[in-house]
Amino acid sequence: MAQRGEIESHLAALLAVDRFKDYGPNGLQVEGRAGVGRLVSGVTASLALIEAAVADGADAILVHHGLFWRGQDGRVTGWLRQRLALLLAHDINLYAYHLPLDAHAELGNNAQLGLRLGLQADARFGEQDLGFIGAAAGFADAGALTERVALALGRAPLLLPGDGRPLRRVAWCSGGAQGYFEAAIAAGADAFITGEISEPQAHIARETGVAFLACGHHATERYGAPAVGQHLARQFGLQHRFIEIDNPA
Ligand SMILES: [Zn+2]
């Protein structure tokens, strides 16, 4: 059992929350009961996740994508009202960590994704050093890397194969990091792994010869929250369960 505030200060230090400029508040987003014994982790604070956490008897939910983002107009209506109402009705705490959870060197989305793909970063790149880059570790080419990703994530990535060069360096950044492609190329990547692709990256892959793998926003960000949840469970003696709410996007 932990106190609500203990968890927040522990995570603020662990994830170096103050170091990041982010699109929403990192930390306790919705205040629930004071004591936390049962924790659910998930990728996104969707209604389905909150419902599953209620059914699980959770005192707190830990997610990567919280409820509040820059650009919202401040009204509590529609989907936001529904999700908030359910949290408040059941007195459940909501903790959300966005970029700090991508970046953490062992528990973060990028580190955990690398672990599953057999990739180890020896450098960082891009805005706020969120991108990871390391040796290609035995992947002959982008095709071999794509097969490994499909196996590890359970879905086939969208591959822009580049020029078919042998891979020496692979860069990756989870989620919607397609805008990091050029920084990855500048950092020396022969292939770049992220969640999503937009129209310009297909041309850049063709013109630079660097392979681009779009592997799913959700699929690449499934591993940080449960890793932090497990860490909290050990640290504070909590019961913890990761709840997967599948998302093809
Ligand atoms: Zn994301």
Side-chain angles (χ1 to χ4, degrees):
M1 182 72 110
Q3 291 306 299
R4 174 216 298 134
E6 270 183 290
I7 293 177
E8 193 183 24
S9 28
H10 181 79
L11 290 183
L14 178 76
L15 302 176
V17 159
D18 288 345
R19 286 222 317 259
F20 295 88
K21 265 189 276 159
D22 213 329
Y23 309 98
N26 289 301
L28 183 66
Q29 289 198 343
V30 179
E31 188 177 297
R33 58 185 67 112
V36 175
R38 246 180 130 77
L39 173 71
V40 158
S41 63
V43 178
T44 299
S46 63
L47 189 61
L49 179 68
I50 298 168
E51 284 169 345
V54 169
D56 200 59
D59 304 307
I61 304 176
L62 172 86
V63 293
H64 180 50
H65 302 131
L67 291 180
F68 306 107
W69 299 97
R70 194 199 294 157
Q72 285 171 334
D73 67 8
R75 284 182 288 192
V76 180
T77 54
W79 61 267
L80 182 55
R81 179 201 179 275
Q82 270 192 296
R83 296 184 197 180
L84 260 179
L86 196 58
L87 284 170
L88 295 172
H90 293 272
D91 218 10
I92 297 174
N93 296 284
L94 177 68
Y95 299 94
Y97 297 89
H98 186 233
L99 299 182
L101 185 57
D102 288 320
H104 190 272
E106 287 117 50
L107 303 175
N109 281 322
N110 285 331
Q112 292 288 320
L113 179 64
L115 214 59
R116 277 152 185 92
L117 300 180
L119 295 169
Q120 218 180 349
D122 54 34
R124 302 283 191 99
F125 70 94
E127 214 189 303
Q128 303 193 64
D129 272 346
L130 289 173
F132 281 41
I133 183 165
F139 297 111
D141 55 22
L145 183 61
T146 303
E147 274 171 39
R148 174 61 185 261
V149 170
L151 203 66
L153 303 189
R155 72 183 72 193
L158 187 156
L159 169 68
L160 270 299
D163 57 13
R165 67 180 69 173
L167 302 186
R168 284 173 305 118
R169 307 278 293 162
V170 176
W172 67 100
C173 194
S174 67
Q178 60 267 57
Y180 280 60
F181 189 28
E182 284 168 272
I185 296 167
D190 299 303
F192 180 57
I193 293 169
T194 186
E196 300 186 28
I197 185 165
S198 299
E199 196 270 354
Q201 284 89 43
H203 301 292
I204 296 170
R206 288 172 185 152
E207 291 165 20
T208 61
V210 175
F212 188 104
L213 288 77
C215 309
H217 190 133
H218 174 86
T220 56
E221 295 198 325
R222 260 185 309 206
Y223 307 113
V228 172
Q230 215 171 68
H231 165 89
L232 289 175
R234 273 197 298 265
Q235 181 77 23
F236 295 106
L238 311 178
Q239 305 232 48
H240 164 247
R241 195 177 145 214
F242 171 69
I243 298 182
E244 162 80 344
I245 306 290
D246 187 45
N247 183 342

